[in-house]
Amino acid sequence: MFLWLLLILAPGRQPAGALPKALLLLKPPWSTAFEGETVTLFCKDHHSLAWEYVSWYHNETPLRKQSGRLQISKSGHYRCKTQRSSLSDPVHVQFLPDWLVLQASHPAFERDKVVLRCRGKEEEDIMERTYYKNEEKIGSSYNSNITVYPAFNDDSTYRCTASGMYILGMSWTETSRPLKIQVQELFPSPVLTASPSWPIEGSPVTLTCETWLPPLTSHTRLQFCFFKEHRALGAGWSNSPELQIPTMWSEGAASYWCQARTVIPRILKTSPRSQIRVHRVPVSDVNLETQPPVGQLIEGEDLVLICSVAAGTGTVTFSWHREGSERSLGRKTQNALSAELRIASVREQDAGRYYCAADNLDGPVLSKRIRITPRVPVSRPILTIRRPRSQAVEGDVVELYCGAWKGSPPILYRFYHEDNALGSSWVYNRGGASFKLPLSAEHSGKYACEADNGLGAWRSETVSLDVKVPASRPVLTVRTPRAQAVEGDVVELRCEAQRGSPPILYRFYHEDNALGSSRVHNREGASFKLPLSAEHSGKYACEADNGLGARRSETVSLNVTVPASRPVLTVRTPRAQAVEGDVVELRCEAQRGSPPILYRFYHEDNALGSSRVHNREGASFKLPLSAEHSGKYACEADNGLGARRSETVSLNVTVPASRPVLTVRTPRAQAVEGDVVELRCEAQRGSPPILYQFYREDVPLRSSSAPSGGGTSFYLSLTTEHSGNYSCEANNGLGAQRSEVVSLSVIVPASHPTLTLRAPGAQAKVGDMVELHCEAQRGSPPILYRFYHEDVPLGNSSAPSGGGASLNLSLTAEHSGNYSCEADNGLGARRSEAVPLSMSGLTGSRSGPIATGVTGGLFSTLGFGVVALLLYCRLPRKAGGRPTSDPSRSPSDSDVREPIYHNAPAWLELQPVYSNVNPKGGEVVYSEVQRIPQGSRPAANPDSVLGLLRTHLPSHGQAASHRPSDPPGSSVIYSQVKVA
């Protein structure tokens, strides 16, 4: 076991009886060092580095240290060994006091490279190194190393020199001591061993070429070759250190040896020659055997006589003998423990007692005698069938007789029907054997028999026997191409009688009506193919008849399923037109199809529901209508044989108009006179077309139609009369729907105000209390009035409910000048015309200027009344168009917001007639004239026009402003009249 372990660990093996050598390693790996340095030694065997139980030697003197590591600083020869190895080769380590030393790498094996290092104590001073072998230069280097390849047992010496320069430029040279490289043998010369060492003649021998490799060279592979005298054995060079010799003979003295070699590098070593002595053993225990064995020899076969010995080596002579004969049957001499003699084609007369003899020069040894008697095989037997009548009928008993005319008994007879064994019988004489068989339908066929006496079976020729069998009751099978029979399928009616001699006539019936027939001449049944229609449902049967009586099968029911036809979808509505909220009935019906039928209803390919009907009627589905139910409808009929879909039916669901929403959209936050507002009426639901009607205070304004649905708009230019409640109506023929009421309030911008100065006397003087009264004839309250003296603000006053406002002023001398006022209701400030004020005692009498103003104001007031009456009579007749607005009265456009009034009644569109009209060449300006329809405003004040004129006393040429009420029955309002 230890030997094979070494073979695994290393390619080579140590010599017989010795352990592999240990290997001594250095760290650093140099055999030369400077004095004062230390070197660590390690001991390694084939397993690993050794750390315990290591024996160390210095100059062959044992050291006490037993560790696997040894640190040294003393020169000498060192060796080591472990418990698993023998003593290592000595390694000479030197510690030199020199300045320059030559170092060689360790370990170094034969034909291995060795690194030489020329080392100085002061490396930086060395410029060049030169190496010598036996005083011959082998190289130089500026670094410290070179590589050499020394041979094993090489006695050469090596040295090196180092040179450099002094500071002053002079050169120097140092020389190392000579060094001999310690080259170890890569592997020792092999030793040839034999196992066993003293083999017996004729036995196998194993030759082993034993050597070993050092632990560090496990990468190296060895090859081996074995020799006998000068002839190589086996296949020549091999990686195995063993060679098996199957048989060794004593042929005189012969020398054996072996060789071991490495491939890279090529190292060849030869073992010493060895003599292998072979021991000869005399023959013993001679034995004779036969082939075939005794008792199994058959006449005509070859007989082999085998003579063997239990022991004996060398050349053995074998001979064979028969009692009663002086001559031997045969003789053979060979290096074997057995030999054979063949006797060809043994006959019956060769029977007798036989023996053999063996001799290897120590005298013949005889075997025991054995009797050999050849046996005679049987001949081919003959089979005879003995029956009671000319034709075999089911139920008869027949006799099978089998006999062989030749053969050594006992003989075994076997009987066969179609190669199926029926029975067997042993016969111990020369006669035959019989077998009785009661016949059944299965006994028709071929029969044979076999004779066997152990020397080979012989079979007779076959004899045919036909047994006539009446037809049995047939079985009818209906084969459909799918799980259920479907109209249009082709079914196969298969009729087969399990028993009955052919030919058999098969007949097929449907409800006792003959369909067809077929005659079959074999044992298979008959088929009849039938294309199915709905009428083929019913009971089927068949008949089998082979002339021994007809037999009818049991009936088989067949139900033919008819696929559903394409259904028809009918939509039943409660009125001529489908209206949202109605309940319609979807009726789906297939004219043909086997129930049950599953009806499915679809709206635009979306499933609505389904219904399974188990009769031939259709199915209905009731649907409460909504607006989304408009579209195409279809239905499907499916009875498991493929779904069929109807044609689509369109349904249009009319949706009544929903209650509309009225929206009032204004261009700013509040509705201002003159703005254009949009009245938008829209019903969120309802089938088009939708007719929209707008109302103000339940009075129709205008109607508009939306042909495609959606809403409609109505635009209105605002006047003060447009304030009120608005609504709209949506009607698509299914009932009118009125929106909620939306209120609209129209704001009127303040007009140009009129400033009036009221003094306590006819002439204003210093100290008087003067009332400044400012009033705008038009404008939605509240109105803020501001008063100015020469454009300097004096104060302001508000009129929450409309009308004018006053400011009292105690006059001083500085109050002479022009006065004005402003009216502002949030829609833009309007400034009055300037009114001058002069006081008496300053520039003239008190009555002068004021009286003049009063007189002029009176005449101007009368003139305004006359002009107003003329306009009252003429303007209605000439009015034919819509007036434009007075830019001087337009509301401020600074507010751009667009308020929306929801659910407000529509504005009544008034019809302004005149606005900002100034006839050519005339002296009258009509700021605004509007015509109001009769009955659309309250009754007029019965006061006369002149009586309602409010008179002011302006200064020179200043126009008077008036705000008359409507005369009774009049349709004209003079909002403002100015006289130039």
Side-chain angles (χ1 to χ4, degrees):
M1 188 66 179
F2 178 73
L3 181 62
W4 285 108
L5 182 61
L6 291 180
L7 283 173
I8 295 174
L9 295 174
R13 298 171 64 182
Q14 77 282 4
L19 295 175
K21 289 182 180 181
L23 180 65
L24 191 62
L25 302 178
L26 308 180
K27 184 176 182 181
W30 309 104
S31 59
T32 308
F34 290 111
E35 274 188 353
E37 294 181 336
T38 60
V39 174
T40 303
L41 306 182
F42 296 90
C43 194
K44 179 178 175 63
D45 58 21
H46 277 78
H47 295 272
S48 61
L49 286 175
W51 298 105
E52 296 178 355
Y53 309 110
V54 175
S55 299
W56 294 97
Y57 299 88
H58 176 233
N59 295 333
E60 306 302 330
T61 300
L63 300 177
R64 292 183 179 180
K65 187 174 180 62
Q66 298 297 317
S67 173
R69 176 188 299 178
L70 179 65
Q71 195 173 55
I72 63 172
S73 59
K74 186 176 180 180
S75 298
H77 290 82
Y78 289 88
R79 303 178 78 178
C80 73
K81 77 181 186 66
T82 68
Q83 293 181 339
R84 295 173 295 189
S85 66
S86 60
L87 202 61
S88 69
D89 290 335
V91 177
H92 185 227
V93 182
Q94 287 182 302
F95 294 92
L96 301 178
D98 304 335
W99 187 90
L100 184 69
V101 297
L102 178 62
Q103 296 177 319
S105 60
H106 181 84
F109 299 99
E110 55 183 324
R111 298 198 182 179
D112 197 3
K113 69 177 182 179
V114 177
V115 177
L116 296 180
R117 184 169 76 165
C118 190
R119 180 183 171 203
K121 285 188 177 181
E122 297 177 2
E123 288 286 311
E124 65 274 6
D125 295 338
I126 300 175
M127 297 180 61
E128 184 178 9
R129 296 170 175 85
T130 305
Y131 296 87
Y132 299 88
K133 176 183 179 183
N134 296 329
E135 301 305 323
E136 291 185 6
K137 181 180 178 181
I138 59 176
S140 59
S141 174
Y142 291 99
N143 55 28
S144 60
N145 301 340
I146 68 168
T147 301
V148 296
Y149 294 87
F152 179 59
N153 294 329
D154 188 2
D155 199 33
S156 300
T157 58
Y158 296 82
R159 67 179 179 87
C160 71
T161 62
S163 59
M165 297 291 291
Y166 291 112
I167 298 176
L168 298 178
M170 299 178 63
S171 63
W172 58 266
T173 302
E174 288 286 343
T175 303
S176 71
R177 294 189 188 189
L179 172 70
K180 286 190 176 182
I181 300 176
Q182 304 176 55
V183 179
Q184 299 185 32
E185 189 177 27
L186 181 59
F187 63 93
S189 295
V191 175
L192 180 67
T193 62
S195 179
S197 59
W198 191 15
I200 298 175
E201 186 179 29
S203 64
V205 174
T206 300
L207 302 180
T208 303
C209 192
E210 296 182 352
T211 187
W212 57 273
L213 288 168
L216 291 183
T217 59
S218 60
H219 61 280
T220 304
R221 293 291 178 264
L222 292 178
Q223 291 182 333
F224 304 90
C225 188
F226 296 87
F227 299 89
K228 178 182 180 182
E229 298 297 342
H230 300 288
R231 178 174 59 88
L233 300 177
W237 288 101
S238 169
N239 292 328
S240 174
E242 293 185 349
L243 177 67
Q244 181 87 24
I245 299 178
T247 306
M248 289 290 289
W249 302 109
S250 58
E251 300 172 345
S255 60
Y256 293 83
W257 52 283
C258 69
Q259 286 183 335
R261 72 178 183 184
T262 60
V263 179
I264 300 175
R266 181 60 65 91
I267 301 174
L268 177 66
K269 297 188 179 183
T270 304
S271 72
R273 295 176 179 259
S274 301
Q275 297 287 335
I276 300 178
R277 298 179 60 186
V278 180
H279 174 65
R280 169 168 289 183
V281 178
V283 296
S284 62
D285 295 333
V286 180
N287 184 48
L288 177 64
E289 296 178 355
T290 64
Q291 186 63 36
V294 175
Q296 298 181 16
L297 179 62
I298 300 174
E299 183 183 33
E301 291 184 342
D302 292 347
L303 173 64
V304 178
L305 301 177
I306 304 171
C307 188
S308 62
V309 296
T313 60
T315 302
V316 180
T317 299
F318 297 93
S319 60
W320 290 268
H321 307 270
R322 177 185 175 189
E323 283 186 348
S325 176
E326 297 181 357
R327 295 179 57 184
S328 66
L329 300 177
R331 184 181 297 271
K332 286 186 179 180
T333 301
Q334 58 189 28
N335 290 329
L337 297 179
S338 64
E340 295 180 356
L341 176 67
R342 180 178 294 274
I343 301 176
S345 187
V346 175
R347 300 298 175 192
E348 196 171 357
Q349 57 269 24
D350 292 330
R353 293 167 61 87
Y354 290 78
Y355 65 94
C356 70
D359 185 8
N360 65 346
L361 303 179
D362 289 333
V365 179
L366 301 181
S367 69
K368 293 182 179 181
R369 288 165 173 76
I370 60 174
R371 177 173 292 278
I372 299 176
T373 303
R375 298 185 61 201
V376 179
V378 296
S379 61
R380 187 172 190 179
I382 298 174
L383 176 65
T384 305
I385 301 178
R386 300 170 182 173
R387 48 180 174 247
R389 66 186 79 188
S390 59
Q391 184 180 4
V393 179
E394 187 178 35
D396 290 348
V397 178
V398 297
E399 179 186 4
L400 307 178
Y401 180 79
C402 185
W405 62 272
K406 180 183 178 183
S408 299
I411 300 176
L412 175 64
Y413 289 96
R414 301 183 185 93
F415 296 88
Y416 296 92
H417 173 224
E418 302 290 349
D419 290 330
N420 297 315
L422 295 174
S424 62
S425 179
W426 281 99
V427 177
Y428 294 91
N429 51 34
R430 296 279 182 178
S434 297
F435 182 81
K436 291 186 177 182
L437 179 67
L439 294 180
S440 65
E442 293 76 15
H443 288 143
S444 291
K446 294 181 178 180
Y447 289 80
C449 70
E450 210 173 56
D452 186 4
N453 65 349
L455 303 178
W458 280 88
R459 181 167 290 200
S460 69
E461 293 184 355
T462 60
V463 178
S464 295
L465 181 65
D466 183 23
V467 181
K468 188 71 174 180
V469 180
S472 63
R473 187 176 188 181
V475 176
L476 176 65
T477 305
V478 180
R479 299 174 180 174
T480 60
R482 62 188 85 192
Q484 59 186 30
V486 179
E487 184 181 42
D489 289 347
V490 176
V491 299
E492 179 185 2
L493 304 178
R494 177 75 177 173
C495 189
E496 186 172 0
Q498 298 298 320
R499 301 178 70 254
S501 301
I504 299 176
L505 177 65
Y506 290 96
R507 302 182 186 90
F508 297 89
Y509 298 91
H510 173 224
E511 301 290 352
D512 291 331
N513 296 317
L515 294 174
S517 61
S518 178
R519 187 177 297 276
V520 178
H521 294 271
N522 50 33
R523 293 192 176 274
E524 297 179 356
S527 296
F528 181 79
K529 293 188 177 181
L530 179 65
L532 294 181
S533 64
E535 295 74 17
H536 285 140
S537 294
K539 294 182 178 180
Y540 289 79
C542 69
E543 243 178 24
D545 187 2
N546 66 344
L548 301 176
R551 301 295 300 274
R552 179 167 288 205
S553 70
E554 293 183 356
T555 59
V556 176
S557 296
L558 179 65
N559 183 30
V560 180
T561 304
V562 180
S565 61
R566 188 174 188 182
V568 176
L569 177 65
T570 306
V571 180
R572 299 172 181 174
T573 59
R575 64 186 85 188
Q577 181 180 11
V579 179
E580 185 181 42
D582 289 349
V583 177
V584 299
E585 179 186 2
L586 306 178
R587 178 71 179 176
C588 188
E589 187 172 359
Q591 295 300 318
R592 298 181 73 251
S594 299
I597 300 177
L598 177 64
Y599 289 95
R600 302 184 186 93
F601 297 87
Y602 297 90
H603 172 223
E604 301 291 350
D605 290 331
N606 296 317
L608 294 174
S610 62
S611 179
R612 188 177 298 276
V613 178
H614 294 270
N615 50 35
R616 295 191 176 275
E617 297 179 358
S620 297
F621 181 80
K622 292 187 178 182
L623 179 67
L625 294 181
S626 64
E628 293 75 16
H629 288 141
S630 291
K632 293 182 178 180
Y633 288 80
C635 69
E636 262 182 7
D638 187 1
N639 64 347
L641 301 177
R644 299 295 301 277
R645 182 166 286 203
S646 68
E647 294 184 355
T648 58
V649 176
S650 296
L651 179 64
N652 183 29
V653 180
T654 304
V655 180
S658 62
R659 188 176 188 183
V661 175
L662 177 63
T663 305
V664 180
R665 297 175 180 171
T666 62
R668 64 189 81 198
Q670 54 188 164
V672 179
E673 183 183 42
D675 288 348
V676 176
V677 299
E678 177 189 4
L679 281 70
R680 176 74 179 175
C681 188
E682 186 172 0
Q684 296 299 318
R685 299 179 72 255
S687 301
I690 301 176
L691 178 65
Y692 291 97
Q693 179 71 48
F694 295 88
Y695 296 89
R696 178 179 180 275
E697 305 294 352
D698 292 331
V699 177
L701 294 176
R702 178 174 294 182
S703 61
S704 178
S705 178
S708 302
T712 185
S713 296
F714 174 59
Y715 294 90
L716 186 64
S717 180
L718 295 181
T719 64
T720 55
E721 289 74 11
H722 288 147
S723 295
N725 295 323
Y726 290 81
S727 63
C728 69
E729 204 173 62
N731 191 352
N732 65 345
L734 298 175
Q737 294 285 334
R738 178 74 66 95
S739 72
E740 292 184 357
V741 174
V742 177
S743 296
L744 178 65
S745 178
V746 181
I747 301 175
V748 180
S751 62
H752 283 282
T754 301
L755 179 62
T756 306
L757 302 180
R758 297 174 182 174
Q763 180 69 39
K765 61 182 180 179
V766 176
D768 287 347
M769 183 64 69
V770 177
E771 177 188 1
L772 283 72
H773 184 77
C774 187
E775 185 174 358
Q777 297 300 317
R778 299 180 72 252
S780 299
I783 301 176
L784 178 64
Y785 291 96
R786 302 181 186 91
F787 298 89
Y788 299 90
H789 174 225
E790 298 296 347
D791 292 330
V792 176
L794 295 175
N796 58 66
S797 180
S798 176
S801 301
S806 298
L807 178 67
N808 295 323
L809 183 64
S810 179
L811 295 179
T812 65
E814 290 78 9
H815 285 150
S816 295
N818 293 321
Y819 287 82
S820 62
C821 68
E822 267 183 0
D824 188 1
N825 64 346
L827 300 176
R830 307 298 294 274
R831 179 74 66 94
S832 69
E833 294 182 357
V835 176
L837 176 63
S838 61
M839 291 176 289
S840 62
L842 298 177
T843 58
S845 64
R846 177 175 178 176
S847 60
I850 296 179
T852 304
V854 171
T855 305
L858 180 60
F859 285 125
S860 62
T861 301
L862 293 175
F864 173 75
V866 173
V867 173
L869 291 175
L870 292 175
L871 291 173
Y872 177 76
C873 296
R874 298 186 62 180
L875 287 179
R877 297 182 180 91
K878 297 181 180 180
R882 183 182 301 272
T884 59
S885 61
D886 184 359
S888 64
R889 301 191 298 106
S890 298
S892 173
D893 296 332
S894 62
D895 189 357
V896 296
R897 292 176 294 173
E898 184 181 0
I900 298 177
Y901 300 93
H902 294 284
N903 298 324
W907 293 358
L908 175 62
E909 184 178 6
L910 303 183
Q911 299 179 3
V913 180
Y914 297 99
S915 180
N916 295 332
V917 178
N918 188 4
K920 295 181 180 180
E923 297 180 350
V924 179
V925 177
Y926 305 99
S927 175
E928 184 175 16
V929 179
Q930 293 184 342
R931 180 173 182 173
I932 302 176
Q934 296 292 333
S936 61
R937 60 177 296 150
N941 195 319
D943 295 340
S944 64
V945 174
L946 293 178
L948 295 176
L949 294 175
R950 184 172 183 178
T951 305
H952 303 279
L953 299 177
S955 61
H956 306 285
Q958 184 67 37
S961 299
H962 308 277
R963 185 172 187 145
S965 299
D966 293 341
S970 174
S971 62
V972 178
I973 295 177
Y974 300 96
S975 176
Q976 189 176 65
V977 180
K978 293 184 180 180
V979 179

